[in-house]
Amino acid sequence: MRADQEAARAAVLRLKDLGKGFQGLPYMTNPRAGQDEQALSTCLGGPPPRQHETARAFSSQFVRDDGRRVQASVTFADTAERAAADLRDLRGAKAISCLKDLMIKQLRRLSYELHGIDVVPISPITDLPDVVAYRFTVVIDVNDQDITQIIDLISAIRGRAEVQATFQDVNEPVESSLESRAMLAMLNRL
């Protein structure tokens, strides 16, 4: 639907939402994104994502010189009930296992030697009822040195809109104040 696509584009994360130090790089299409979304949805017990999606927009890839990365998307489901069900699936008992398996598959695809991965639920935005978040702690080998990446995945809904963002940094998590500001900026534009 054209109106949904315009609303998704208008709501998606912008450079000004993040503050100083970030630069925007063009969004890089992942040729396996649809396959990964389908695998995650199947693992969680939900229907194929594209079956109930009416629009989707991606932000630029926002990066800082120190390696911090932020990227977001806004998707519209065909009904508010479907958006709520998608969020419930992400809160479900299978979520951690499904997310961990998908991350392992994605890292192996990139030929990273994985030395450890942990996924735990977090709650970075305390004043929003319709949000779920997880923190991935990933240890990979880079030139015979262990590098720890901390990736926060935050998903929230507002009506039919599903807002998702990843916040990544080396050795430490991105501040929850930045995560909250970014998520609220997108949700408030819906």
Side-chain angles (χ1 to χ4, degrees), residues 54-182:
T54 63
R56 179 182 295 217
F58 292 95
S59 72
S60 297
Q61 296 181 54
F62 300 108
V63 298
R64 279 192 347 194
D65 290 341
D66 61 5
R68 184 172 288 188
R69 297 184 165 278
V70 179
Q71 188 165 348
S73 66
V74 176
T75 303
F76 275 83
D78 52 3
T79 66
E81 292 77 18
R82 179 72 256 156
D86 288 346
L87 195 69
R88 265 194 317 275
D89 289 346
L90 271 175
R91 275 195 190 114
K94 297 179 185 178
I96 288 177
S97 174
C98 293
L99 289 166
K100 185 175 183 178
D101 289 348
L102 180 59
M103 178 65 78
I104 290 169
K105 182 189 291 184
Q106 290 171 333
L107 291 168
R108 286 189 178 145
R109 197 181 297 144
L110 295 170
S111 300
Y112 284 115
E113 185 176 332
L114 182 63
H115 287 194
I117 183 170
D118 189 32
V119 182
V120 296
I122 59 172
S123 51
I125 304 172
T126 57
D127 58 343
L128 291 177
D130 296 325
V131 64
V132 63
Y134 294 96
R135 176 164 293 150
F136 296 77
T137 303
V138 179
V139 181
I140 57 173
D141 180 285
V142 177
N143 299 323
D144 294 324
Q145 182 179 359
D146 282 351
I147 303 294
T148 301
Q149 296 281 327
I150 309 294
I151 305 163
D152 288 352
L153 170 69
I154 304 174
S155 300
I157 60 170
R158 179 158 290 162
R160 294 186 303 116
E162 300 178 8
V163 175
Q164 190 168 75
T166 56
F167 301 85
Q168 180 177 343
D169 206 346
V170 179
N171 295 324
E172 63 185 14
V174 172
E175 310 85 46
S176 61
S177 60
L178 175 67
E179 293 176 342
S180 295
R181 186 171 67 243

Side-chain angles (χ1 to χ4, degrees), residues 4 8-9 14 16-17 19 41 59 61 67 81 92-93 121 129-130 155 165:
D4 287 353
R9 279 193 201 114
R14 302 173 187 161
K16 70 178 184 175
D17 299 329
S41 185
S59 72
Q61 296 181 54
E81 292 77 18
D130 296 325
S155 300

Side-chain angles (χ1 to χ4, degrees), residues 7-59:
R9 279 193 201 114
V12 80
L13 195 62
R14 302 173 187 161
L15 186 58
K16 70 178 184 175
D17 299 329
L18 298 172
K20 294 183 179 183
F22 283 92
Q23 63 177 331
L25 302 175
Y27 169 73
M28 300 294 287
T29 303
N30 177 350
R32 295 197 178 164
Q35 182 182 11
D36 289 347
E37 289 170 1
Q38 178 62 45
L40 179 60
S41 185
T42 299
C43 184
L44 294 172
R50 305 283 180 178
Q51 182 179 348
H52 60 82
E53 182 180 295
T54 63
R56 179 182 295 217
F58 292 95
S59 72

